[in-house]
Amino acid sequence: MAATRLELNLMRLLSRCEALAAERRDPEEWRLEKYVAALEDMLRELKKQSSKPAPELLNEYSRKVDFLKGLLEAEKLSSSTEKALANQFLAPGRTPTTTKERTPATKTVHLQTKARCTGKMRSELLGTVYRPTRRYKSQFFFPLCSCRGLTSDEKQSAVELDAVLQHHQDMQEKLAEEMLSLARSLKNNTLAAQNVIKQDNQTLSHSLRMADQNFEKLKDESDRLEQHAKKSVNWLLWIMLIVVCFIFISMILFIRIFPKLK
C-alpha cells in the first residue's frame, strides 16, 4: 500500500530529527525538542487514520520517536553518569528511515551518544581533555600521558584504566559471540526435535492405521468362526438324531426277530 501524505511528512521530519540528533548541538538549541513534539502529534494522527501503515511499521515509528524523546530527556540530566545510565536504557530503531541509510540512523546516534558520555565520564574521573573524533571505535579522549604537567602515577592510572576498559569490551564481544552460538545451537536443537516429533507422529499414525486394519480383519475372522461353529453344531445334532433313530429301530427289529424265551 502506498504511503499517505502524513506518513511521508512523518518520515521526512523523522529523518531531519535523526540528523539533528547526530550533530553536536548547543544547550540552547530548541528545534529538536519542537520537532520531536510534532512527531508525536503526527504519529498519533497516523494511528487514527483508516489507511494507516502496517502494525510493524507503526511500532518502528513509535520506537524511533520514543528514542529521540528519551535522548532529549537524558541530555537534560546534570551529571555524565546519569546521562550514560539513561542512554543505556534507550532502544534505537531496527530499520533505516530512508533508503539512503545502510544502518539505522538512531543506532548510530545511540552509539555516538554512548561514546560521548563515556568520554566525558573518563575526563571527569581522570582530569583528561575530552576531544571527540569523527571516526567510530576511535578514542574519544586524550589520555593523561599525552597531557603535560602530569605525574607518572596519573599516567599509570590512565594506562590501567585503558586496559580495564579494553578488557571489558573484549568480554562483552566474547559474551555476544557466545550468546549467538547458543542461539544457533538452540535453533538447531529445536529443528532436530521438530523433525523427531514429526517422524514420531508419522509412525504413530501408521501404527493407528495398522491397528484399525487388524481390528477389522479380526472382526471378520470372528464372524466367520462364529458361523462355522454354528454349522458344525447343526451337523453334529443331525448325526446324533440319526444315530438315535437307527438304534431305536434296530432294537424294535431285534425284539421282533428274536421273541421272548419261555
Side-chain angles (χ1 to χ4, degrees):
M1 183 175 61
T4 60
R5 184 174 182 179
L6 180 59
E7 184 179 359
L8 293 176
N9 293 334
L10 175 66
M11 292 173 61
R12 294 192 186 99
L13 185 57
L14 182 59
S15 178
R16 177 57 179 164
C17 290
E18 291 172 350
L20 286 176
E23 298 174 356
R24 293 184 57 83
R25 302 180 305 279
D26 296 331
E28 299 179 357
E29 177 65 39
W30 55 269
R31 289 181 299 170
L32 183 59
E33 187 173 358
K34 296 296 182 180
Y35 288 169
V36 172
L39 278 176
E40 292 180 342
D41 296 337
M42 295 172 68
L43 185 60
R44 282 194 294 268
E45 292 295 330
L46 186 62
K47 291 180 179 179
K48 294 179 182 179
Q49 286 186 350
S50 57
S51 59
K52 57 185 179 182
E56 295 81 5
L57 194 56
L58 282 176
N59 292 335
E60 184 66 17
Y61 290 153
S62 301
R63 186 183 181 92
K64 292 179 179 180
V65 173
D66 292 339
F67 170 79
L68 293 173
K69 186 177 178 181
L71 187 65
L72 290 174
E73 293 176 355
E75 290 179 353
K76 295 178 181 179
L77 298 176
S78 57
S79 65
S80 300
T81 305
E82 294 177 350
K83 291 181 180 180
L85 183 61
N87 276 286
Q88 290 292 335
F89 295 99
L90 295 179
R94 298 188 180 93
T95 58
T97 305
T98 60
T99 56
K100 297 180 180 179
E101 300 176 3
R102 293 185 178 180
T103 57
T106 51
K107 187 173 182 180
T108 305
V109 172
H110 190 212
L111 294 174
Q112 291 177 351
T113 307
K114 287 173 63 178
R116 192 180 303 124
C117 293
T118 304
K120 289 182 179 179
M121 287 176 58
R122 289 186 64 175
S123 63
E124 291 177 0
L125 180 62
L126 303 176
T128 56
V129 179
Y130 172 69
R131 298 178 183 177
T133 61
R134 296 183 179 179
R135 296 174 58 187
Y136 177 63
K137 288 187 178 180
S138 61
Q139 297 296 330
F140 290 89
F141 53 88
F142 281 55
L144 287 172
C145 56
S146 64
C147 298
R148 297 180 179 178
L150 298 179
T151 63
S152 60
D153 293 336
E154 292 175 342
K155 295 179 180 180
Q156 183 66 24
S157 299
V159 172
E160 291 177 356
L161 184 57
D162 289 339
V164 170
L165 292 176
Q166 184 64 33
H167 176 66
H168 282 289
Q169 184 178 359
D170 295 339
M171 289 180 62
Q172 290 179 358
E173 293 178 356
K174 184 178 180 180
L175 182 60
E177 292 177 357
E178 291 179 355
M179 291 178 64
L180 182 60
S181 177
L182 289 175
R184 290 175 180 172
S185 178
L186 180 61
K187 181 180 178 181
N188 294 332
N189 292 336
T190 303
L191 293 176
Q194 183 179 0
N195 294 331
V196 170
I197 293 173
K198 186 177 180 180
Q199 292 177 0
D200 291 343
N201 289 334
Q202 292 177 355
T203 304
L204 181 61
S205 300
H206 181 69
S207 300
L208 290 175
R209 287 195 301 268
M210 293 297 296
D212 292 338
Q213 293 177 2
N214 292 335
F215 179 76
E216 294 294 335
K217 291 181 180 179
L218 182 61
K219 185 177 180 181
D220 295 339
E221 294 297 330
S222 298
D223 294 339
R224 290 177 58 186
L225 182 60
E226 185 178 358
Q227 293 178 1
H228 183 69
K230 289 180 180 180
K231 291 180 180 179
S232 300
V233 170
N234 292 334
W235 282 105
L236 184 60
L237 180 62
W238 284 107
I239 291 172
M240 291 178 64
L241 287 176
I242 292 172
V243 170
V244 169
C245 292
F246 177 76
I247 294 173
F248 179 74
I249 294 172
S250 299
M251 290 297 296
I252 293 176
L253 292 176
F254 182 78
I255 293 172
R256 294 290 183 182
I257 296 174
F258 300 98
K260 187 176 181 181
L261 295 177
K262 295 180 180 181

